[in-house]
Each structure stands twice: as structure tokens, then as C-alpha cells.
Amino acid sequence: MVGAYLAFYSERGIDGRPERFCNLAAWCVEEGYRSQGLRLLRAALRQKGYHLTDFSPSGNVVPLNARLGFTALDTTTALAPNLPWPAWSRARVVTDPREIERVLTGRELAIYRDHARAAAARHLVLVAGARTCYVVVRRDRRKRLPLFASVLHVSDPELFARHGRLVLRHLLLRHGVPFTLAERRVVPRVPGPSVTVAGRPKMFRSPTLRADQIDYLYSELTCVAW
């Protein structure tokens, strides 16, 4: 074997319709066979009935994807310090798997069960009265420093905006992570101080779906830790 293109497949419900996804991940070809590497990509593109996503294209792959019809997602990101905020809020953070199973329902419970054993996904639920916000994060590196948590999924952005400081506090005190990266398209408003930074490129190709219908679940971002 001299080359491989890793892909994750899923079927999702979008606006009441089943949609099939192919998430393109690691693409590796030995140096002497690089000229043949495009055959792997072309094989992926020839698949019928799939929406294609690429959430970690390397620098030279980004312009290639653009020429092949991929669209760049807006990855404008908030960088927030995880501070030891006082835990005076009536909301609470749930991390025990048995309690997560108890407080989540419907679609969010199904997503949790699908990702409970995903290698890179970390799960917690904000609970405030009768409302819940299911949050999925991953540990990330920037400049080879493992100091960041990236937010992949937030089920209730409004609740997160009100009580998300508890999540940031939890990430600092329980996981030792000093910073959180939250794309604006995933978390419109991060509580507390933050600065805006450029996010890493992420792209998709679909004949029917819009950018706001693309998320990071069921992908290498939840399944592969690095």
C-alpha cells in the first residue's frame, strides 16, 4: 500500500430528509507516488448521493478543493481564556454518562449515544431548570501546544451565552485547559472576554445543502484525536 484517503460516512436527518455525508480526513501518499494521489480524491468525488466535507485540509489542499467545487466555511473564531469563574449560577455542568443519558432527550440523546465512545469527543451538558445545552468539545493543539479546547457542538446557543462560563470553568479546573476556541457559526456569543482569531480552513461540497446545515459531528473532528 502506497497511499490512502481516510473517510467517515454517516446518514443524517436534515430538515426531515435523510442525507448522506462523506467526511474526507487524512490523505497520505508516499512521495514517489504523489502524482497518482489525485486518483484517490477523484474516486471520492465520483461517489453519488453524498455531501462531501473536509474539515482539516492542509495548505496545498485548500486551493485544490476550491477548484473542485468545494466551498469554504466561515471559521471566524473566538479565543476565550478559561477562567475560574465563581460557581454562583443556578445552572450546573453534567459530565457523568448516566446523568447525561437521563437529562438529554430526542435528537441530542441520539447524538450523544452515537458519539459516547468517539476518541476525540468530550461531552458535557449545561442544565438550567428544565433547559439543557449539550456541548461537545475536543482537545486541540495550536503551534504544537495542547492548550486549547475546540467547541464542536452546542445544542442551545442562547443558554450557552448565559451560562457558558461554567463550561469554561470546568475545562480549566477539571481538564487543565486554559483556552477555548469557539467558531462563531457554532457559538454565536461566548460569555466573558474573548478575541477574534482566524480559524483553520474547513470546506464542503454539496448540490443542495447550505453552510449553516453543515456541522462537525460524525466526522474526524470527533473521532480522531491529535
Side-chain angles (χ1 to χ4, degrees):
M1 183 179 295
V2 297
Y5 208 148
L6 181 66
F8 292 85
Y9 290 85
S10 62
E11 184 173 294
R12 311 284 305 280
I14 306 291
D15 290 342
R17 303 185 308 273
E19 304 284 359
R20 296 193 297 171
F21 287 82
C22 172
N23 168 234
L24 301 175
W27 183 15
C28 301
V29 181
E30 286 191 9
E31 188 71 35
Y33 297 86
R34 292 287 170 84
S35 62
Q36 300 296 316
L38 282 176
R39 295 172 63 186
L40 297 172
L41 177 57
R42 292 193 186 102
L45 298 179
R46 283 197 299 267
Q47 297 176 108
K48 302 297 184 182
Y50 283 95
H51 308 286
L52 298 174
T53 60
D54 190 347
F55 297 146
S56 59
S58 59
N60 57 345
V61 175
V62 173
L64 173 61
N65 279 353
R67 291 196 297 271
L68 293 171
F70 281 75
T71 299
L73 294 168
D74 180 3
T75 58
T76 302
T77 298
L79 171 63
N82 297 336
L83 301 175
W85 302 103
W88 53 263
S89 172
R90 292 185 179 181
R92 59 193 178 98
V93 174
V94 171
T95 59
D96 181 77
R98 291 169 296 182
E99 193 168 2
I100 290 177
E101 287 265 358
R102 184 178 63 82
V103 299
L104 291 181
T105 60
R107 175 178 177 268
E108 299 305 318
L109 178 57
I111 291 172
Y112 168 71
R113 287 174 172 171
D114 287 344
H115 291 81
R117 297 185 179 181
R122 300 294 178 265
H123 312 274
L124 54 91
V125 182
L126 266 176
V127 179
R131 292 178 64 177
T132 61
C133 176
Y134 174 38
V135 181
V136 181
V137 301
R138 62 171 283 124
R139 192 77 176 258
D140 247 330
R141 294 175 180 266
R142 290 295 186 272
K143 299 186 183 298
R144 300 184 179 180
L145 299 175
L147 304 177
F148 305 88
S150 291
V151 182
L152 302 180
H153 175 70
V154 169
S155 66
D156 188 336
E158 181 184 350
L159 191 64
F160 189 91
R162 292 170 58 186
H163 299 291
R165 285 181 175 180
L166 292 179
V167 173
L168 306 186
R169 180 179 189 272
H170 173 85
L171 293 172
L172 175 67
L173 300 182
R174 296 295 181 88
H175 298 279
V177 181
F179 302 101
T180 289
L181 295 162
E183 290 184 18
R184 299 294 189 186
R185 63 188 302 271
V186 178
V187 186
R189 186 160 68 89
V190 177
S194 66
V195 295
T196 299
V197 297
R200 287 175 170 169
K202 297 181 176 70
M203 310 181 81
F204 77 103
R205 192 176 95 158
S206 169
T208 58
L209 296 184
R210 306 182 306 272
D212 64 306
Q213 295 173 306
I214 304 297
D215 62 32
Y216 303 139
L217 299 171
Y218 303 90
S219 74
E220 65 166 336
L221 296 183
T222 59
C223 295
V224 181
W226 60 72

